[in-house]
Amino acid sequence: MDRFKRTPISEQDPKERAKNFKEVCLGYTKEEAMREASRCLNCKKPGCVPNCPVAINIPKFISYVKEGDFESAAKVIAESSSLPAVCGRVCPQETQCEKNCVLGIKGEAIAIGKLERFVADWSREHDINTSKPLPYNGKKVAVIGSGPSGLSCAGDLAKLGYKVKIFEALHEPGGVLVYGIPEFRLPKDTVVKHEIDNLRKLGVDIETDVIIGKTITIDELLNGGGYDAVFVGSGAGLPKFMNIPGENSNGVFSANEILTRNNLMKAFRPEYATPIKIGKKVAVVGGGNVAMDAARTALRLGGEAHIVYRRSLEELPARTEEVHHAKEEGVIFDLLTNPVEIIADEKGWVKGMKCIRMKLGEPDESGRRKPVEIKGSEFLMDVDTVIMALGTSPNPLIPSTTKGLETNKRNCIIAQEDTGLTTKDKVYAGGDAVTGSATVILAMAAGRKAAAAIHERLSKEK
């Protein structure tokens, strides 16, 4: 065994997977997982753990995998994470836990995420129960939103004996896990549903089709609803646009709409009456993970998919793995390119997108080199569908209907970083509702911090 070389993992053939919505990565077998785990040096001062937002004891769970004791490995992960099968698939391990792996200095880091996924999948397939909640302690907590932050907060509190109820605006729980991430990256009926069912086994109650701010307010939950605290994990589902001419044309979508209709409403399945009109040539504007998801979805729906991004390949914010998979599948990358106008025909449908070439100047406040327009380089891109994947911001409904809940200029709820406590007493918040659009694992970490703070406060109250 070469300790510095990662155990390969099987994937669907790119030509085949570009035509279906089945999961791209097939996961490790038992033997492959044990082989990969045997590479771990079990460092006395592991660099991986401090860089895990939810502080999983990574060397410990990997040591159990090495021994073939997958149940014990699952129990170690469960101490820190309520969503291991999700995190093992979508977390950016390469910039977090795996980044500081000692083996990565001279070779390839341990495949921590792939091992976490294996353990979670094995646990699901063998119906392993990893959680034993404490008896009911007489306290009730309301959680708004069933995305990663809400699920993590609810799971931690339920284990501590709290009666927790999640209020979800959509008709299915899961938040961005069900509406934002495609099936080929995160299967819904198996992986996401199982993780949510595990929370229900802990006693967490989930009520869907409840819009906080309309159906009921936070003030009503606290005053008369019988709740001792509220956690807001409502995410950031309000899409951003460029505000360029022609952006209101038919055939212009937000990535949120495309992904929600395809992932949650199953538009890719012929038996579902929720089709999406995707043209022959699709431009996805943006360079993050959502842009990759939208482009790869458009490709599978029959379009020629282009990523239009104003910086170079090195500045793409998307995960390296997602960019690699997109390229393998045939997504075309039009880099150093920025749209300036969307052209429509006489009936209002997109028939092209006017763009300008860019070059990179000095670094901006993000640390990346600032894109600068090249005068006279305008050209017309032949596309009939445009998908804007420029990020999202929180919906202002909850703050606008809650007395004393303050937001910043980006409509994000103001909350303490270490506790999640907002400007309103007994109300905590975390995830994208506080930070704006970020990663699943960071949202989970925020949910866990808030749960700990809520427990610390309520456990002192009689």
Side-chain angles (χ1 to χ4, degrees):
M1 180 192 71
D2 185 351
R3 187 175 290 275
F4 296 102
K5 190 172 179 61
R6 181 175 290 196
T7 304
I9 196 162
S10 299
E11 295 177 345
Q12 271 201 80
D13 179 84
K15 291 183 180 179
E16 290 299 318
R17 70 182 192 238
K19 301 174 185 177
N20 66 58
F21 281 86
K22 296 177 183 177
E23 194 168 10
V24 170
C25 180
L26 304 179
Y28 278 142
T29 64
K30 172 183 173 181
E31 293 74 22
E32 289 169 342
M34 292 175 68
R35 188 187 316 143
E36 178 63 15
S38 67
R39 295 176 57 225
C40 181
L41 299 175
N42 202 15
C43 306
K44 291 183 179 180
K45 292 184 178 180
C48 53
V49 177
N51 282 279
C52 173
V54 294
I56 293 173
N57 190 332
I58 294 168
K60 188 175 181 180
F61 101 73
I62 289 179
S63 68
Y64 281 126
V65 175
K66 178 181 176 180
E67 297 168 6
D69 187 354
F70 308 132
E71 182 171 349
S72 293
K75 289 178 178 178
V76 170
I77 296 173
E79 292 171 1
S80 304
S81 175
S82 301
L83 305 170
V86 171
C87 290
R89 286 168 164 82
V90 304
C91 285
Q93 292 96 2
E94 67 277 3
T95 61
Q96 294 177 161
C97 54
E98 294 177 7
K99 184 178 181 180
N100 279 15
C101 176
V102 173
L103 290 176
I105 298 173
K106 292 185 178 180
E108 295 178 311
I110 296 290
I112 298 170
K114 299 295 190 289
L115 290 175
E116 181 183 17
R117 169 196 164 140
F118 167 80
V119 171
D121 289 352
W122 184 92
S123 181
R124 180 183 71 248
E125 292 160 5
H126 291 79
D127 196 25
I128 302 299
N129 185 6
T130 57
S131 300
K132 294 181 180 179
L134 295 174
Y136 177 46
N137 61 19
K139 301 289 185 178
K140 291 174 59 179
V141 179
V143 173
I144 300 171
S146 62
S149 63
L151 294 175
S152 292
C153 184
D156 280 10
L157 289 172
K159 291 174 187 176
L160 292 167
Y162 291 87
K163 186 174 182 180
V164 183
K165 185 169 185 176
I166 297 176
F167 296 94
E168 169 56 48
L170 296 176
H171 62 282
E172 282 188 31
V176 70
L177 304 178
V178 294
Y179 74 74
I181 304 176
E183 286 277 336
F184 53 80
R185 283 217 292 140
L186 185 63
K188 314 304 174 212
D189 292 339
T190 51
V191 175
V192 178
K193 185 177 183 297
H194 178 77
E195 305 277 53
I196 292 172
D197 285 345
N198 280 342
L199 286 182
R200 287 193 168 108
K201 290 177 182 177
L202 287 171
V204 175
D205 185 19
I206 303 175
E207 185 177 351
T208 57
D209 298 310
V210 178
I211 301 175
I212 301 298
K214 286 194 173 183
T215 312
I216 191 170
T217 67
I218 288 179
D219 291 311
E220 289 169 340
L221 290 173
L222 290 170
N223 304 317
Y227 291 96
D228 299 284
V230 174
F231 174 75
V232 182
S234 50
L238 194 63
K240 297 177 181 178
F241 289 89
M242 294 187 72
N243 296 319
I244 58 175
E247 205 168 29
N248 291 326
S249 303
N250 297 321
V252 179
F253 301 88
S254 69
N256 264 35
E257 180 181 355
I258 289 288
L259 294 173
T260 299
R261 288 171 64 182
N262 196 70
N263 301 335
L264 181 63
M265 302 170 71
K266 311 300 183 187
F268 66 93
R269 294 182 181 176
E271 68 270 23
Y272 279 71
T274 54
I276 301 173
K277 180 179 170 55
I278 289 289
K280 293 181 179 179
K281 291 188 177 182
V282 183
V284 178
V285 183
N289 290 327
V290 173
M292 300 303 143
D293 286 345
R296 295 171 70 193
T297 295
L299 186 77
R300 284 161 169 78
L301 292 174
E304 178 185 282
H306 294 246
I307 287 285
V308 179
Y309 182 61
R310 60 182 184 161
R311 289 183 167 95
S312 69
L313 186 65
E314 289 70 27
E315 285 79 28
L316 276 171
R319 291 185 67 190
T320 302
E321 182 178 65
E322 302 310 318
V323 175
H324 170 69
H325 283 157
K327 286 185 173 182
E328 279 190 329
E329 292 164 7
V331 173
I332 300 165
F333 284 71
D334 294 298
L335 304 172
L336 292 169
T337 301
N338 202 41
V340 293
E341 183 180 358
I342 294 169
I343 311 298
D345 62 19
E346 62 279 0
K347 294 183 178 180
W349 288 90
V350 174
K351 68 173 184 178
M353 185 168 71
K354 186 178 179 182
C355 300
I356 189 167
R357 301 291 185 191
M358 311 292 285
K359 62 181 179 180
L360 295 179
E362 296 299 316
D364 61 13
E365 60 275 4
S366 71
R368 294 179 297 170
R369 294 174 65 191
K370 186 177 180 179
V372 180
E373 292 184 354
I374 300 175
K375 293 182 179 180
S377 64
E378 293 88 350
F379 69 99
L380 186 65
M381 181 177 286
D382 179 23
V383 295
D384 51 12
T385 304
V386 178
I387 301 173
M388 294 294 180
L390 305 168
T392 53
S393 61
N395 190 307
L397 177 62
I398 290 176
S400 68
T401 57
T402 307
K403 295 178 181 177
L405 189 63
E406 297 180 7
T407 60
N408 61 23
K409 61 182 180 181
R410 297 184 296 127
N411 284 328
C412 295
I413 296 171
I414 297 172
Q416 296 176 11
E417 185 177 352
D418 56 340
T419 65
L421 182 63
T422 68
T423 55
K424 184 177 179 66
D425 189 35
K426 298 183 180 180
V427 178
Y428 298 74
D432 291 3
V434 171
T435 63
S437 54
T439 62
V440 167
I441 191 67
L442 290 176
M444 287 177 60
R448 295 204 71 208
K449 286 180 181 179
I454 290 169
H455 175 58
E456 183 179 2
R457 174 174 178 167
L458 295 185
S459 61
K460 296 176 181 177
E461 298 179 357
K462 294 182 180 180

